Amino acid sequence: MRMIAAVMYEQGLPAPYAESSPLKIEEVELEGPGEGEVLVEVKSAGLCHSDLSQVAGLRKRTVPVVMGHEGAGIVREVGRGVTEFRAGDHVVMTVGSGCGHCSFCVNSRPVLCDTVAASRGKGVLTNGARKLRRNGQALFHHSGVSSFAQYAVTVPGTLVKIDPSVPLEIASMFGCAVVTGAGSVFNAAQVRPGQSVAVFGLGGVGLNSVMAAKIAGASTIIGIDLNESKLPLAAELGCTHALSALDPTLVEKVRDLTHGGVDFAFEISGSKAAMTTAIAVTRKGGEVVCVGLGASADLYQYAHTALVSEEKVFRGSLMGSCVPRRDLPLYLRYYQEGRMAVDRLMSGTMGFDQLNANLDLLDRGEVLRQVLLPNG
Ligand SMILES: NC(=O)c1ccc[n+]([C@@H]2O[C@H](COP(=O)([O-])OP(=O)(O)OC[C@H]3O[C@@H](n4cnc5c(N)ncnc54)[C@H](O)[C@@H]3O)[C@@H](O)[C@H]2O)c1
Ligand SMILES: [Zn+2]
Ligand SMILES: [Zn+2]
């Protein structure tokens, strides 16, 4: 079939993106679902900071690629052998699935699956297929999802069935922002009632960590952002304190509020400066949970002797260390019960024509999640 999609041919074009137009909005061809594949009509797709980093060239991608790694939509057709989905199912599209049988997958750590990592690197589906072309030229898939398109063909592991009562506009945010932010608290840190946390970066991902920390029963939740406009909503969603990253007394303030430092500091801005502060505000024996991503080649510095003698832990967390079909239904239930106000994170919806200009808004830290509606 033919459809409209956002294709990136080249990384590293300069901002403002409204002028350099790194995402080309084009008609492309999508091959129908083969054996073990599913065709989804994409109803919404969130714009993540990781999309911006890839546009900026911070982390390499195989190009030309149809972008978009979180989405939601309706199954329109299933290929031979697909039994768990049928036409009409509402689904979230996510990147956290694995092959299902390697040692990582069987130990509930599918985000570490080598098969999936290899296919992501090559820009193909996890079954090795490529379903996208334009004028005879093959296009690559983004993380096996490619949701900045009217339709997507993917493998069942990428999809999680959801209740049709969940608005599809909101549902896409569960595919990356929610699963990453909430999972970093529930799966990676495993925050317990009464503990203290600091969240650096109150964007689409970080605010989900704030809401999850509240559900986990954290007694002190300190939100920190460079952009002060992010602080009021953070306080509404669960921060007991919302502080500016520019405050020169930030480290002392956090230590005072928590009698020496937080149990967990979540770095969710991708900034080296935030990582340094996160280490400083973590109590002895506490953990720094690293979620933010900068450039692939970035090296960070820390005082090694202090790490050893204060027994601090650095813990990386990819996609909230999730098992999508275990975790997404739970987070959707929290949303439906009114405990995770994911709808408050949507800054607005957009058509394909606004995609490049809206990369600039995200770049300037002015918005939370902007959601593309590929089919209007
Ligand atoms: N680990 C993963 O699996 C995973 C998944 C999704 C996103 N990410 C990464 O997480 C980060 C956040 O993504 P997002 O979509 O929420 O981005 P976002 O742009 O919505 O939010 C980032 C926030 O960080 C703030 N910030 C920037 N520098 C800061 C500093 N020095 N101190 C405090 N706050 C600062 C910005 O003002 C902004 O509010 C990005 O680096 C993204 O690439 C990682
Ligand atoms: Zn993302
Ligand atoms: Zn696997």
Side-chain angles (χ1 to χ4, degrees), residues 108 160 187 320-331:
S108 300
V160 179
N187 297 329
S321 315
C322 69
V323 178
R325 288 187 192 169
R326 178 193 68 193
D327 298 345
L328 278 171
L330 177 66
Y331 305 158

Side-chain angles (χ1 to χ4, degrees), residues 16-143:
Y17 302 116
E19 284 169 27
S20 60
S21 285
L23 303 183
K24 308 291 178 217
I25 311 307
E26 299 180 324
E27 196 174 80
V28 306
E29 292 145 44
L30 178 68
E31 197 184 307
E35 183 165 358
E37 295 169 350
V38 181
L39 172 71
V40 178
E41 180 182 352
V42 184
K43 292 294 192 182
S44 75
L47 187 55
C48 176
H49 204 106
S50 295
D51 297 313
L52 184 61
S53 307
Q54 283 154 28
V55 162
L58 300 188
R59 302 190 291 279
K60 269 261 152 292
R61 275 283 153 190
T62 317
V63 290
V65 57
V66 174
M67 293 291 284
H69 63 273
E70 65 175 28
I74 302 177
V75 171
R76 291 303 181 203
E77 198 184 325
V78 299
R80 234 170 4 105
V82 175
T83 52
E84 66 247 71
F85 294 101
R86 59 177 175 201
D89 284 344
H90 287 211
V91 290
V92 169
M93 307 164 80
T94 183
V95 307
S97 62
C99 72
H101 46 258
C102 71
S103 66
F104 294 118
C105 287
V106 298
N107 286 297
S108 300
R109 302 194 72 179
V111 299
L112 303 181
C113 176
D114 290 329
T115 307
V116 171
S119 57
R120 191 188 304 136
K122 287 188 204 144
V124 297
L125 300 182
T126 37
N127 63 3
R130 252 156 82 177
K131 316 294 290 188
L132 293 155
R133 6 184 86 246
R134 180 170 189 272
N135 295 336
Q137 179 188 18
L139 306 175
F140 293 97
H141 294 263
H142 192 295
S143 303

Side-chain angles (χ1 to χ4, degrees), residues 198-213:
V199 177
F200 290 80
L202 302 169
V205 178
L207 287 174
N208 280 296
S209 298
V210 167
M211 293 191 284

